[in-house]
Amino acid sequence: MALFGRPCLAVDGPVWPRGWPCLAWSKMTAPILETARLRLSGHRVEDFAACAAMWTEPVVTRYIGGRPFTGEEAWTRLLLYVGHWALLGFGYWVTEESSTGAFVGKLGFADYQRDLSSGLDRRPEAGWVFVSAAHGKGYARQAVGAIHAWGDSRFIRTVCLIHPDNAASLRVAAKSGYREERRAAYHGSPTMSS
């Protein structure tokens, strides 16, 4: 995996000691973001079936854990995404096609408390994952642009971890302003960070 970094716009006002701006911590939920073709919103229990189905697709999990997720693992991720908003004031969004309402993926910012000496501390980590039927449609780039428009006024800098063989995510990262900073191993897999 590789670590990639992306500077954000200057943040006005006080910054939380972990490097994130002070936000209303109590029960904050994801704001709704809209693009020309997508609607991004907070996770709901009703999203679980679509999320769980996405995590069973081998092409989706190839570079995220290397194997399909169980229903229990998918449920834990859904809770993790909701918990980020409630505790940290940022997190992941569910992404749907505006025209059909079809679930196409999820993306956002997280603090996974990863055990790496990669410089991730004090920086929100951006991530994105889309169902295989949405691959190649430009949804990732459009959605990543929307979350960065939201995050640029809140974060000093964000990072992302990407498997060096994940060419599609590397392209999205590059188009979003991320630049490779270093390579490392995470849970036995190579990673690039930026």
Side-chain angles (χ1 to χ4, degrees):
M1 296 254 171
L3 175 68
F4 292 84
R6 179 182 182 276
C8 298
L9 301 175
V11 176
D12 293 329
V15 175
W16 188 46
R18 297 237 343 127
W20 302 305
C22 296
L23 300 170
W25 305 105
S26 178
K27 299 182 182 179
M28 182 166 177
T29 59
I32 294 173
L33 306 178
E34 297 198 33
T35 72
R37 299 182 296 157
L38 302 171
R39 182 176 190 272
L40 287 65
S41 61
H43 286 75
R44 303 165 302 150
V45 171
E46 296 83 7
D47 299 318
F48 175 65
C51 292
M54 177 186 70
W55 289 119
T56 66
E57 295 185 65
V59 70
V60 169
T61 60
R62 179 178 179 188
Y63 301 115
I64 306 172
R67 62 165 179 75
F69 292 9
T70 65
E72 178 182 349
E73 291 167 324
W75 178 251
T76 299
R77 282 199 174 245
L78 187 142
L79 296 175
L80 173 81
Y81 300 142
V82 172
H84 265 81
W85 285 105
L87 295 176
L88 301 177
F90 63 88
Y92 268 59
W93 286 265
V94 166
T95 307
E96 301 171 331
E97 289 179 327
S98 298
S99 61
T100 66
F103 172 87
V104 294
K106 54 180 62 202
L107 76 162
F109 303 104
D111 176 5
Y112 292 121
Q113 297 287 316
R114 293 190 193 272
D115 187 17
L116 301 165
S117 58
S118 66
L120 283 179
D121 56 323
R122 306 191 79 145
R123 299 183 210 167
E125 181 181 336
W128 49 89
V129 60
F130 289 83
V131 298
S132 59
H135 293 182
K137 294 184 177 183
Y139 287 164
R141 177 65 190 102
Q142 192 173 112
V144 169
I147 68 165
H148 282 108
W150 178 87
D152 280 352
S153 65
R154 291 163 174 80
F155 306 127
I156 295 169
R157 188 161 195 261
T158 60
V159 297
C160 62
L161 286 177
I162 302 174
H163 191 287
D165 296 336
N166 190 343
S169 278
L170 291 171
R171 283 190 300 274
V172 170
K175 289 179 181 178
S176 300
Y178 288 98
R179 300 293 174 252
E180 183 176 347
E181 292 181 353
R182 67 184 62 92
R183 293 188 181 217
Y186 181 66
H187 291 280
S189 295
T191 186
M192 297 166 49
S193 61
S194 104

